[in-house]
Amino acid sequence: MAKEPVRILVTGAAGQIGYALVPMIARGVVLGPDQPVILHMLDIPPAAEALNGVKMELVDAAFPLLKGVIATTDVVEACTGVNIAIMVGGFPRKEGMERKDVMSKNVSIYKSQASALEKHAAANCKVLVVANPANTNALILKECAPSIPEKNISCLTRLDHNRALGQISERLNVPVCDVKNVIIWGNHSSTQYPDVSHATVKTPSGEKPVPELVADDAWLKGEFITTVQQRGAAIIKARKLSSALSAASSACDHIRDWVLGTPEGTWVSMGVYSDGSYNVPAGLIYSFPVTCRNGEWKIVQGLSIDEFSRKKLDLTAEELSEEKTLAYSCLT
Ligand SMILES: NC(=O)c1ccc[n+]([C@@H]2O[C@H](COP(=O)([O-])OP(=O)(O)OC[C@H]3O[C@@H](n4cnc5c(N)ncnc54)[C@H](O)[C@@H]3O)[C@@H](O)[C@H]2O)c1
Ligand SMILES: O=C(O)C[C@H](O)C(=O)O
């Protein structure tokens, strides 16, 4: 029997990540080749015409799995009945703006979208925040939608995770699919800590630790980390636009693994509500290694954290605490 369609909301759908993301969803990249979807696309009135153009293209592409498209500037219509919400829309920093000004704009957007989701989304709707500052936008959404369980709210650090896999794959000249269990700790910002202490590579003689194969501690603790931390800025410098295809693809990976589960023996990085694991302050949206089963994530426990890593985990937590204070000051 054919499956019921799943309703997926993409906010900021007329933007560049939206344009890369919606065809991936419509093609079954997120939920599989037998799962019909209905796309809900939200943007703001100045982008309404462009949004309608995206809808026209979705119709023109005749995706067999796509059972409907709603393109709207009305947040209630956009949120009604959605099972998954991918929040890409937000206010970008403009010339002459202070950090606080950008935060204040995004706090007000995420506050109103949180209440629309709380009132109108399907029960158990899963939310992924992509728009920057992603961790703190997700935290505001959580604060302003108290009836959405915290286990259903996350932010995207899978792009950073995939970037780390890509760097190791290039360095060792191995297929990226043979590298696993890197970790992104903390904020989706340049204080994030890409950690390969527990990462492995599949070799003909079994799985081998990444640090042993790379055999260059200075590179792993230096250039590797800064390359991943600064990759977003490097893409902006090269493209004069921020990452879009890799962000969209990683958002698909995030939702797919969350809903369908992570492979046995593999973890991924997700920004989730901290419960105090690894002595990360509770109450931050912080990126942790997680495994997913039956639609729920669980923080991987018991990994050893050496002194070098401890400092990096704390540094990015401090930045998130400062962002949280700033965001809360905009709320009141
Ligand atoms: N977490 C990550 O890994 C990651 C990676 C790349 C980009 N990003 C962030 O994702 C966001 C989107 O990037 P982009 O390149 O698609 O930007 P973009 O400017 O091309 O698109 C953003 C879209 O959001 C819309 N928008 C603005 N306010 C809105 C609102 N209140 N409701 C709905 N839509 C609204 C805009 O009209 C625009 O169409 C940015 O904040 C960017 O910094 C995050
Ligand atoms: O938009 C940015 O500042 C960069 C983006 O978050 C990215 O990681 O590519």
Side-chain angles (χ1 to χ4, degrees), residues 132 159-160 163 188 231-233 235-236 242-243:
N132 283 320
L159 173 56
D160 311 290
R163 285 168 171 163
H188 172 68
R231 190 67 161 186
I235 302 286
I236 292 172
S242 60
S243 61

Side-chain angles (χ1 to χ4, degrees), residues 10-19 42-47 50 72 75 87-92 105-106 109-110 112-113 129-135 137 155-160 163 188 232 236 239 241-244 246-248 250:
V10 176
T11 71
Q16 47 147 9
I17 295 177
Y19 190 71
L42 175 71
D43 214 294
I44 49 176
T72 180
V75 67
M87 316 299 284
V88 184
F91 194 91
K105 295 265 186 206
N106 282 299
I109 292 171
Y110 277 80
S112 72
Q113 295 185 352
V129 178
V130 176
N132 283 320
N135 300 55
N137 286 342
C155 82
L156 188 70
T157 54
R158 182 61 176 270
L159 173 56
D160 311 290
R163 285 168 171 163
H188 172 68
I236 292 172
R239 265 180 24 96
L241 285 170
S242 60
S243 61
S246 55
S250 302

Side-chain angles (χ1 to χ4, degrees), residues 204-226:
S205 48
E207 280 181 3
K208 293 265 165 60
V210 164
E212 183 188 311
L213 291 177
V214 171
D216 184 347
D217 218 35
W219 182 79
L220 283 176
K221 290 188 164 155
E223 195 184 330
F224 163 73
I225 293 177
T226 51

Side-chain angles (χ1 to χ4, degrees), residues 286-305:
Y286 189 98
S287 179
F288 286 99
V290 301
T291 53
C292 305
R293 288 280 167 283
N294 304 320
E296 300 209 350
W297 52 264
K298 210 164 105 193
I299 296 172
V300 175
Q301 298 294 334
L303 297 173
S304 58
I305 305 290

Side-chain angles (χ1 to χ4, degrees), residues 77-304:
E77 187 186 6
C79 292
T80 298
V82 297
N83 309 100
I84 293 170
I86 308 180
M87 316 299 284
V88 184
F91 194 91
R93 183 161 165 156
K94 297 198 173 146
E95 218 178 329
M97 281 180 85
E98 297 295 328
R99 228 175 91 153
K100 170 137 189 166
D101 303 328
V102 190
M103 185 70 87
S104 141
K105 295 265 186 206
N106 282 299
V107 162
S108 100
I109 292 171
Y110 277 80
K111 189 176 171 186
S112 72
Q113 295 185 352
S115 40
L117 279 173
E118 185 174 44
K119 290 198 193 89
H120 303 287
N124 213 23
C125 174
K126 288 180 162 56
V127 183
L128 164 63
V129 178
V130 176
N132 283 320
N135 300 55
T136 301
N137 286 342
L139 187 64
I140 293 300
L141 198 148
K142 186 212 152 290
E143 276 306 304
C144 299
S147 72
I148 301 181
E150 59 210 28
K151 69 179 172 55
N152 285 11
I153 295 176
S154 65
C155 82
L156 188 70
T157 54
R158 182 61 176 270
L159 173 56
D160 311 290
H161 182 101
N162 288 345
R163 285 168 171 163
L165 295 176
Q167 289 302 308
I168 297 298
S169 147
E170 294 232 302
R171 170 82 185 199
L172 294 174
N173 198 19
V174 295
V176 73
C177 58
D178 288 348
V179 188
K180 68 174 189 178
N181 294 353
V182 299
I183 304 168
I184 303 298
W185 300 96
N187 201 359
H188 172 68
S189 78
S190 57
T191 67
Q192 65 176 260
Y193 172 40
D195 176 11
V196 294
S197 317
H198 307 277
T200 59
V201 176
K202 191 163 95 186
T203 75
S205 48
E207 280 181 3
K208 293 265 165 60
V210 164
E212 183 188 311
L213 291 177
V214 171
D216 184 347
D217 218 35
W219 182 79
L220 283 176
K221 290 188 164 155
E223 195 184 330
F224 163 73
I225 293 177
T226 51
T227 299
V228 177
Q229 288 174 331
Q230 303 291 340
R231 190 67 161 186
I235 302 286
I236 292 172
K237 187 158 180 279
R239 265 180 24 96
K240 320 291 177 237
L241 285 170
S242 60
S243 61
L245 90 82
S246 55
S249 178
S250 302
C252 292
D253 288 343
H254 176 115
I255 299 286
R256 185 200 59 229
D257 287 347
W258 191 2
V259 174
L260 301 178
T262 43
E264 197 56 47
T266 300
W267 63 65
V268 294
S269 302
M270 280 172 71
V272 295
Y273 196 65
S274 169
D275 60 353
S277 291
Y278 297 98
N279 287 323
V280 168
L284 296 176
I285 299 273
Y286 189 98
S287 179
F288 286 99
V290 301
T291 53
C292 305
R293 288 280 167 283
N294 304 320
E296 300 209 350
W297 52 264
K298 210 164 105 193
I299 296 172
V300 175
Q301 298 294 334
L303 297 173
S304 58

